[in-house]
Amino acid sequence: MVPGEGPKLWTCDRLRAWHKGVQGSLALTPGLRDFRHRSLSMAPYHIRKYQESDRKWVVGLLSQGMAEHIPATFWQLLKLPRTLILLLGGPLALLLVSGSWLLALMFSLSLLPALWFLAKKPWKEYVDTVLRTDMSDITKSYLSERDSCFWVAESEEKVVGMVGALPVDDPTLKEKRLQLFHLSVDSEHRGQGIAKALVRTVLQFARDQDCSEVVLDTSNIQLTALSLYQSMGFQKTGQSFFCVWARLLALTTIHFIYYLPSSQAGGL
């Protein structure tokens, strides 16, 4: 990276150029030809710093992304032993006491909306907390200091992805550490490498800030995110519960760390 430049942009245009070079040097197999065709049909995107005019898109991505986790959380809740006992044992006990099948059935049916509400609770609480704290004023939180930043991925004048980075404020740390926040990509633009490009942007920014480590948190039901981070070299360091509702739902927060190579080892 040339001094003074921002993070490198990982765009579909660059992917097109790469495929053109490959095609000129070897014959593509049918599978590779199909991949090339899909890549060229994607709308180009670029990554840039956040602007205030992006706020409605960014808040929408946050809300949409969290809402997508509710069904998976609900099904995980249904499979918990204590939930199965409640769903099966509750109506049975009520039937034995009252002798009414109708009452037992109504009890069972009333449990499902209650469980759905419980599955929504931690995600809604997370969004509310974020919009009251760091994302209440993104410019102030992420763009007022040189060691933090917030980026968006833009495609056809629409924000389709986002990610933020803040320094970890821990005086006990011997090395500079950066934390990745709020990685999200619009559901209609996934599979184009946008998430990976956003993560690479954060890693390059961390290198430019002379950081040695990048950390992040995700949840145990975000399987795609878990796979992405591990494929990029992040290592799991532990897990915890981010709120009491998450503990009830067995919704664990997974902690990851990425160890940046030394500057002598070259770029990412």
Side-chain angles (χ1 to χ4, degrees):
M1 174 175 289
V2 178
E5 289 186 347
K8 295 179 180 178
L9 304 182
W10 298 82
T11 67
C12 285
D13 291 327
R14 294 180 64 191
L15 188 58
R16 289 191 183 95
W18 181 83
H19 277 295
K20 184 176 180 181
V22 171
Q23 189 180 37
S25 60
L26 55 87
L28 296 176
T29 65
L32 286 175
R33 283 197 297 270
D34 291 343
F35 175 74
R36 179 175 182 270
H37 175 75
R38 290 195 299 271
S39 298
L40 295 180
S41 67
M42 296 174 183
Y45 66 87
H46 70 278
I47 297 172
R48 59 169 174 79
K49 286 186 179 182
Y50 169 86
Q51 300 170 0
E52 281 300 322
S53 58
D54 302 325
R55 180 167 179 80
K56 67 174 183 178
W57 299 106
V58 166
V59 172
L61 281 173
L62 174 70
S63 301
Q64 172 197 329
M66 297 303 103
E68 288 177 356
H69 304 320
I70 296 172
T73 306
F74 178 70
W75 288 113
Q76 175 171 283
L77 177 59
L78 289 180
K79 293 184 288 185
L80 293 177
R82 56 179 173 268
T83 306
L84 294 175
I85 292 173
L86 181 62
L87 287 173
L88 300 176
L92 181 59
L94 192 59
L95 176 63
L96 293 175
V97 171
S98 67
S100 171
W101 284 97
L102 180 60
L103 192 60
L105 179 60
M106 291 178 62
F107 176 80
S108 296
L109 294 177
S110 67
L111 280 178
L112 295 178
L115 292 174
W116 182 264
F117 173 81
L118 187 59
K120 289 173 57 178
K121 188 67 176 177
W123 302 111
K124 183 179 185 303
E125 187 172 294
Y126 175 79
V127 171
D128 291 344
T129 299
V130 165
L131 293 180
R132 288 195 311 266
T133 54
D134 63 304
M135 286 186 66
S136 64
D137 188 338
I138 296 174
T139 299
K140 180 179 179 180
S141 299
Y142 289 90
L143 299 173
S144 60
E145 302 290 341
R146 67 177 300 274
D147 56 358
S148 59
C149 198
F150 200 99
W151 300 268
V152 298
E154 184 179 50
S155 177
E156 299 179 330
E157 300 183 351
K158 176 183 176 182
V159 172
V160 298
M162 67 177 186
V163 72
L166 290 171
V168 176
D169 185 15
D170 185 348
T172 65
L173 291 175
K174 296 181 180 179
E175 305 287 346
K176 290 180 65 176
R177 178 180 289 184
L178 194 73
Q179 183 159 359
L180 182 152
F181 288 98
H182 310 310
L183 176 66
S184 184
V185 176
D186 180 71
S187 58
E188 296 181 359
H189 291 78
R190 291 171 190 166
Q192 301 182 30
I194 296 177
K196 183 171 288 189
L198 287 166
V199 174
R200 287 186 180 276
T201 299
V202 173
L203 296 180
Q204 185 60 60
F205 179 76
R207 177 183 289 281
D208 294 341
Q209 298 297 316
D210 295 323
C211 294
S212 298
E213 302 162 350
V214 176
V215 295
L216 62 85
D217 298 329
T218 190
S219 73
N220 60 325
I221 67 165
Q222 294 173 258
L223 302 182
T224 302
L226 290 170
S227 177
L228 170 68
Y229 296 137
Q230 291 174 323
S231 71
M232 295 188 71
F234 284 83
Q235 302 174 30
K236 180 179 175 181
T237 59
Q239 60 186 47
S240 62
F241 297 101
F242 66 86
C243 68
V244 64
W245 300 106
R247 185 179 293 275
L248 289 173
L249 298 169
L251 188 62
T252 56
T253 297
I254 311 297
H255 309 294
F256 281 97
I257 190 168
Y258 183 96
Y259 296 102
L260 287 161
S262 63
S263 58
Q264 290 81 3
L268 295 171

